[in-house]
Amino acid sequence: MRRRPGNTAILGATGNRAILGSVVATVIAAFAVVLIAHVTGADAIGHAFDDVRLPWIGLVAGAELITYPAYMAAYRSIACVHGHAPLELPIVARL
């Protein structure tokens, strides 16, 4: 939906469906978490954090930071496939 100066509607029918889809996905995810907690027992979830190894968390965080520029380059190259202009870096960083 194109926004005009006097038009206060920002989201059209497509935006409403996106919001509804997000709400449904959130409800399903919350139900899954509660179901897993019930099946495994709430204590099992609490004990999962008893043996946290910080070097592994640092390694995973570092790997995420290293791979992020590769994903940015991939998004930029895909945007250029059909002759479109390359995406600006701030836009790609938000993706």
Side-chain angles (χ1 to χ4, degrees), residues 25-83:
T26 302
V27 169
I28 291 171
F31 178 74
V33 168
V34 170
L35 180 65
I36 291 169
H38 177 70
V39 169
T40 62
D43 290 339
I45 294 173
H47 292 300
F49 295 102
D50 288 344
D51 191 27
V52 174
R53 296 186 179 146
L54 292 179
W56 281 105
I57 293 176
L59 179 69
V60 170
E64 289 285 334
L65 291 174
I66 290 171
T67 58
Y68 196 74
Y71 281 112
M72 289 175 59
Y75 277 121
R76 286 190 80 183
S77 65
I78 288 173
C80 296
V81 167
H82 295 289

Side-chain angles (χ1 to χ4, degrees), residues 2-9:
R2 188 172 178 178
R3 191 163 186 224
R4 296 188 183 117
N7 189 1
T8 58

